[in-house]
Amino acid sequence: MNTIYPIKLLEDKIILLDQTRLPQEEIWLEMIDYRQMIEAIKMLRIRGAPLLGLAAIAAAYLAAIQFLREKEFMKLMDNAVDEIESSRPTAVNLFKATTKIRQILHESIDSKVIKDKLRTLYEFLYEYEESACEKIGMNGITLFAPDKKLNIMTICNTGSLATIGIGTALGVIRKLTVDHDVHVYASETRPLLQGARLTMWELQKSGIPSTLITDNMAGWVMKTNSIDAVLTGADRITANGDTANKIGTLNLAILAKYFKIPFYVVAPVTTIDSSLESGSEIAIEEREHNEISSLGNKQIAPMGIHVFNPAFDITPASLITAIITDSRVFIPPYHFDNVGIDPCVYPNIN
């Protein structure tokens, strides 16, 4: 298994893999300013719900280093956290991280203590997410009969690049390859092609047989290629099981229902947001119009047209066969009580 670790915390800086440059170039960026981290989050240089929690803490840690000797340290840090929260609105992991960051800020007035606690929080979450991916993988493989050839469809990127460790949906796939003959059909994931650029890159590095398809081929591939399951990630899961994920996920869920194919959502329990009753309460990020009207730097649509570019859609719980987490596999009707680690807060950092 080829595991990539796309973010690294050093003493006074962050090193991260620029995912916008993949697969053509593997460029590592050095971050010493918290606003650099915020820009990286906004521009998807770092992405994936589990990884965004870490990115938020990393940004706050850099801010604490920058403001360490400032008289208005607390005010500057509060403003920095506001900026971090404004970077992306949909993935709940980012906001759970900032909730804990604010708690740390309000527990002490010593700037060095706060900086050290933020580093400890980062290290805790890093270890948690890596372990969670392993547990997710082991829980996921229990849904599949042993020694079977499997054709699996997925969307966007749910591997090492989106997490710390082997990944969520892609982590289950990696675990399945130990005892199964697995072939993955990865949708390109318009408009930013995370499936084509990132998932296919990871699958190739891991030696997992795979085929790239365009998003609008999914129904025909399900009909003609005996797809055994669809595995997707999640950016936020509400109390009733409704799930926000990359735009196009809802299409796959509807098609899977029609073709009677199991549709599995795969995510750590930190992605569950029990404060929201249903998907109708999730804020959906809308991104720049040129992501659709252009391909790379090339304009592909007429200038001046109207464009709608939501980054996510909501899959209703009624279309989800099961939700695979590091705690256990949940089946309908969805209730997320006693999931192990409290998904709303991280533990006290002493």
Side-chain angles (χ1 to χ4, degrees), residues 128-138 163-168 171:
Y128 166 78
E129 294 291 1
E130 184 172 30
S131 173
C133 285
E134 290 291 329
K135 293 173 183 176
I136 286 168
M138 295 308 296
T163 64
I164 292 297
I166 62 172
T168 53

Side-chain angles (χ1 to χ4, degrees), residues 151-153 218-219 221-231 252-264 319-321:
N151 290 320
I152 295 175
M153 185 174 289
V221 172
M222 288 183 187
K223 178 178 173 65
T224 60
N225 287 269
S226 301
I227 299 298
D228 296 285
V230 179
L231 294 177
L252 294 186
I254 293 169
L255 288 166
K257 187 78 167 181
Y258 179 82
F259 288 112
K260 298 180 173 57
I261 297 169
F263 183 91
Y264 298 125
L319 296 179
I320 300 171
T321 308

